[in-house]
Amino acid sequence: IEENDGSLLDLNEATRGQTWSQVVLDSLGEAHDFLGQTLGADPTRWAWSKLHRQTFVHNLGRTSPYDRLFNIPPVGLGGDNTTVFNTGSLYQGDFTATVGVSFRMIVDLADVTRAVWVLPPGQSGHPGSPHYRDSIQPWLNLEYHPMLWDWGQIRANQEGTLELVPSQARG
């Protein structure tokens, strides 16, 4: 760009014969117009999180009308495919996050009892559970839950016990 080398620009019919200054100014103008049409005329109200959204789709919510029952409404988020909060989207799409980190865990290998974790949208896949979507905000805010290793701590913090009992053999 500094040398105004147009060889790369000449590879594309849309930019052939233009200078880098023209291409950059045109690109900024198009981006400004797009943001104005999409987010409103006031640039102070523009935010990446209003465009870049994450949708949590349940396996049973992939079709209508089940999507309204099982899927969690989209949430705005930061990051992209070049940041630590990796939430990439297609470059020619609607900015919806298509890839990213879900389960995050931080482990101090000198003391694993200090490990923490978060799993969006929540620990449960059951929409009726209080843990179906309770980890979205902690995930967005980079907050974590302790990863309990000691059985005493686990029992002290458990909410319940699920016991699976085999059925009586038939026949």
Side-chain angles (χ1 to χ4, degrees):
I1 291 175
E2 289 177 358
E3 296 173 9
N4 201 26
D5 179 0
S7 59
L8 185 61
L9 298 175
D10 290 339
L11 296 175
N12 186 318
E13 188 176 320
T15 57
R16 190 170 293 129
Q18 293 186 355
T19 65
W20 279 105
S21 294
Q22 290 172 308
V23 171
V24 169
L25 287 174
D26 288 348
S27 298
L28 288 172
E30 288 178 26
H32 185 271
D33 292 346
F34 169 80
L35 292 170
Q37 292 169 3
T38 306
L39 300 177
D42 183 2
T44 63
R45 300 183 58 83
W46 296 352
W48 176 232
S49 61
K50 291 181 180 179
L51 293 172
H52 190 53
R53 314 209 26 96
Q54 174 69 54
T55 301
F56 296 97
V57 178
H58 191 285
N59 280 334
L60 298 177
R62 296 190 183 276
T63 60
S64 181
Y66 307 109
D67 55 342
R68 291 188 299 276
L69 175 65
F70 290 101
N71 296 347
I72 297 169
V75 295
L77 66 160
D80 67 14
N81 60 353
T82 64
T83 64
V84 174
F85 197 138
N86 188 296
T87 52
S89 59
L90 301 175
Y91 286 111
Q92 296 190 0
D94 64 357
F95 304 107
T96 297
T98 54
V99 296
V101 176
S102 57
F103 178 80
R104 287 197 305 251
M105 184 175 189
I106 302 169
V107 179
D108 179 349
L109 296 178
D111 183 3
V112 294
T113 63
R114 295 178 36 171
V116 292
W117 65 278
V118 66
L119 175 68
Q123 184 63 24
S124 174
H126 189 293
S129 167
H131 302 296
Y132 185 59
R133 61 175 76 191
D134 65 343
S135 288
I136 293 175
Q137 284 307 313
W139 177 71
L140 289 171
N141 297 337
L142 304 176
E143 298 168 357
Y144 297 88
H145 308 288
M147 174 61 81
L148 304 178
W149 296 89
D150 175 80
W151 277 107
Q153 286 183 322
I154 293 169
R155 286 187 185 97
N157 288 279
Q158 76 182 38
E159 292 181 12
T161 301
L162 174 63
E163 185 176 347
L164 302 175
V165 179
S167 66
Q168 296 292 334
R170 294 186 182 161

